[in-house]
Amino acid sequence: MTTSHSPHPLPRLVLLTATLCAATAWAGAYLPPNFPSPVAPPTTASPEARAFLKLLTNAQATPDQRQEAWTTMLQANAQPPKAVKRAVDKARTRAWKQLDGLIRSADVRKVASRLRKAVVPHQAKARQTVHGTGFTKPKLDQAMAPIVEALDEAIAPLKASEHFATVRATIDEMESYAAACGLRAGWSTELGDTLYTLRLVGRYAAKSAWLKTLDANRRIGASVAPGEFACVARLNIHRILLGIRPAEIDLRLVVAAKKHCEEMVAKSYFSHTSPTPALASPWTRAGREHTRSNGECIAAGSRSGVAAFRMWYYSQGHHTIMINGSAAIGVGRARNKWTLMTGSSRMRGAAASRMSTYVRQRYRAANDAGKLLDLAKWCTENHLLAQAQDELARVLALDPNNAAARNALDRLRAHKP
């Protein structure tokens, strides 16, 4: 089920669909030469950490051996030491560079370099199909077919590359360690597959002026849950192939979208209109997070970010919002409910750093009342008073007798931030 909302209301569209997202199995036992680069384990690390680091830098070590050493290390250290975090960060950076090397290789470049030229003649028709009258799934599929075929042709040599499966598996392993180290909010096969495609599309179909946005999303996306990031990445693949600038992730919109999903789950409703007066519309929800929104899509019934994108893709109102040219985007999820919000402003400087910290801590707190209480205190100290109220309300939903949360919430409401 999906619905959309924009400042220029489109007909309400409700779509019921069952979507299956097949996970891609990763294979490959051969490690490319010199991967990972040898780095001597620091002597200050624990014996268990040094054992893991030694395997991390041993080209002959297997993923199973590293995983066993990782588990042993966590049993001894509770959490990864800083030396391990640094080593994992270097290893995953090297793995992504290897993927970029494959994308730039002669065999891939020979075919993929034709991608932009192949899709340009079909972009206007595809956009007109989305915006025009008589929209249907078959019409959209027909308009998009040449673009989809061009992408399939461009990516085929990469998938056929001798080392591709191995590099994919290595990225998956290293990013999973990175998530456990707190270097990103999470990792999934779906996100990996989507980012590989986006990297190729960005190189061979995106305009040079768009690359800064893609680079920014790689950094910002680390603060976003993998399914939500995958949804944004899949949409940006589509936008680039249609000749539309990719949207930059705005963490304020991410939080606004996620909170709407959480409320829809908690209060058992599915609508753009919230029963909470301060959150009544997409515009008030965005305003509460200190930003603006010019369009919103919601969906129910999907547990995959790419599947949520596909539900909106085949609904004209939602599709129109997704490709409206907005500079910013945020996607949030709670259980099987999804919200996508578009906007016109992007964060920079201190505000971006503060919201990034808020979002990361919010993901880490999950539904732990104690951690949420700490987060509320952090929000208050950093002048995010509305956000502090939201987190205190979550504490009370989990623990109605929490006196500290009740007293703090009463004081903040009296302050009227």
Side-chain angles (χ1 to χ4, degrees), residues 35-40 56-57 83-97 174 178 183:
F35 180 81
S37 57
V39 177
L56 186 66
T57 57
V84 170
K85 293 180 181 181
R86 289 193 296 268
V88 166
D89 194 28
K90 290 180 180 179
R92 67 170 177 161
T93 298
R94 181 176 173 85
W96 280 108
K97 286 182 178 179
M174 296 306 154
L183 298 175

Side-chain angles (χ1 to χ4, degrees), residues 1-3 260 264 270-272 296-299 312 318 338-339:
M1 180 180 292
T2 67
T3 78
H260 186 52
M264 286 193 291
F270 182 70
S271 172
H272 295 284
E296 179 181 86
C297 302
I298 59 176
W312 292 321
H318 303 95
W338 297 78
T339 298

Side-chain angles (χ1 to χ4, degrees), residues 170-234:
T170 302
I171 290 174
D172 185 44
E173 181 187 1
M174 296 306 154
E175 288 292 3
S176 295
Y177 290 140
C181 287
L183 298 175
R184 64 180 317 120
W187 185 254
S188 68
T189 300
E190 175 194 52
L191 176 58
D193 290 344
T194 310
L195 290 181
Y196 306 145
T197 303
L198 180 57
R199 242 168 157 99
L200 181 138
V201 170
R203 179 165 186 82
Y204 293 111
K207 298 179 181 179
S208 58
W210 299 351
L211 299 182
K212 287 185 178 180
T213 297
L214 297 180
D215 287 341
N217 279 354
R218 290 171 191 169
R219 297 188 300 272
I220 301 169
S223 299
V224 180
E228 296 159 9
F229 189 12
C231 185
V232 173
R234 179 62 186 87

Side-chain angles (χ1 to χ4, degrees), residues 95-126:
W96 280 108
K97 286 182 178 179
Q98 287 189 320
L99 179 70
D100 289 336
L102 292 179
I103 290 173
R104 295 191 302 268
S105 66
D107 289 343
V108 175
R109 185 173 65 251
K110 181 179 179 181
V111 177
S113 60
R114 300 195 292 262
L115 177 59
R116 185 175 177 184
K117 186 176 181 180
V119 299
V120 166
H122 308 285
Q123 291 171 341
K125 180 180 179 181

Side-chain angles (χ1 to χ4, degrees), residues 89-410:
D89 194 28
K90 290 180 180 179
R92 67 170 177 161
T93 298
R94 181 176 173 85
W96 280 108
K97 286 182 178 179
Q98 287 189 320
L99 179 70
D100 289 336
L102 292 179
I103 290 173
R104 295 191 302 268
S105 66
D107 289 343
V108 175
R109 185 173 65 251
K110 181 179 179 181
V111 177
S113 60
R114 300 195 292 262
L115 177 59
R116 185 175 177 184
K117 186 176 181 180
V119 299
V120 166
H122 308 285
Q123 291 171 341
K125 180 180 179 181
R127 294 194 300 265
Q128 179 56 37
T129 300
V130 175
H131 296 299
T133 58
F135 177 94
T136 64
K137 180 179 181 296
K139 284 183 65 174
L140 178 61
D141 285 341
Q142 182 180 21
M144 287 295 301
I147 295 174
V148 173
E149 290 171 5
L151 175 58
D152 289 343
E153 181 180 351
I155 207 167
L158 176 63
K159 293 182 177 180
S161 172
E162 179 184 358
H163 300 311
F164 179 60
T166 301
V167 172
R168 275 180 45 156
T170 302
I171 290 174
D172 185 44
E173 181 187 1
M174 296 306 154
E175 288 292 3
S176 295
Y177 290 140
C181 287
L183 298 175
R184 64 180 317 120
W187 185 254
S188 68
T189 300
E190 175 194 52
L191 176 58
D193 290 344
T194 310
L195 290 181
Y196 306 145
T197 303
L198 180 57
R199 242 168 157 99
L200 181 138
V201 170
R203 179 165 186 82
Y204 293 111
K207 298 179 181 179
S208 58
W210 299 351
L211 299 182
K212 287 185 178 180
T213 297
L214 297 180
D215 287 341
N217 279 354
R218 290 171 191 169
R219 297 188 300 272
I220 301 169
S223 299
V224 180
E228 296 159 9
F229 189 12
C231 185
V232 173
R234 179 62 186 87
L235 171 56
N236 276 338
I237 292 169
H238 182 56
R239 286 172 65 129
I240 292 170
L241 292 175
L242 289 188
I244 301 168
R245 186 186 187 97
E248 183 174 312
I249 298 171
D250 184 339
L251 293 174
R252 297 167 297 183
L253 291 177
V254 172
V255 171
K258 192 168 186 67
K259 288 180 180 178
H260 186 52
C261 291
E262 290 169 350
E263 187 184 65
M264 286 193 291
V265 169
K267 298 187 176 181
S268 300
Y269 75 93
F270 182 70
S271 172
H272 295 284
T273 303
S274 166
T276 305
L279 305 171
S281 71
W283 335 128
T284 57
R285 292 192 287 275
R288 188 175 180 84
E289 307 301 334
H290 310 291
T291 188
R292 297 178 181 179
S293 176
N294 54 25
E296 179 181 86
C297 302
I298 59 176
S302 173
R303 296 191 177 276
S304 157
V306 172
F309 164 80
R310 297 297 292 181
M311 294 172 76
W312 292 321
Y313 176 89
Y314 282 118
S315 172
Q316 187 175 24
H318 303 95
H319 204 144
T320 300
I321 289 173
M322 290 196 298
I323 64 170
N324 63 7
S326 295
I329 192 171
V331 174
R333 171 196 179 186
R335 294 185 187 173
N336 70 340
K337 288 189 169 66
W338 297 78
T339 298
L340 177 151
M341 301 181 78
T342 56
S344 57
S345 62
R346 291 172 287 190
M347 290 189 304
R348 294 293 183 268
S353 177
R354 184 174 60 175
M355 285 304 295
S356 178
T357 300
Y358 172 51
V359 172
R360 285 198 305 270
Q361 292 190 18
R362 199 172 192 275
Y363 278 119
R364 291 172 185 170
N367 290 320
D368 186 309
K371 292 180 179 179
L372 289 172
L373 191 58
D374 290 340
L375 176 56
K377 180 180 178 182
W378 180 91
C379 289
T380 302
E381 293 170 348
N382 286 273
H383 309 291
L384 295 174
L385 302 186
Q387 288 68 29
Q389 287 191 36
D390 292 343
E391 304 315 323
L392 290 168
R394 292 177 70 202
V395 173
L396 291 172
L398 294 165
D399 181 10
N401 297 320
N402 193 308
R406 173 62 63 191
N407 292 336
L409 184 57
D410 288 344

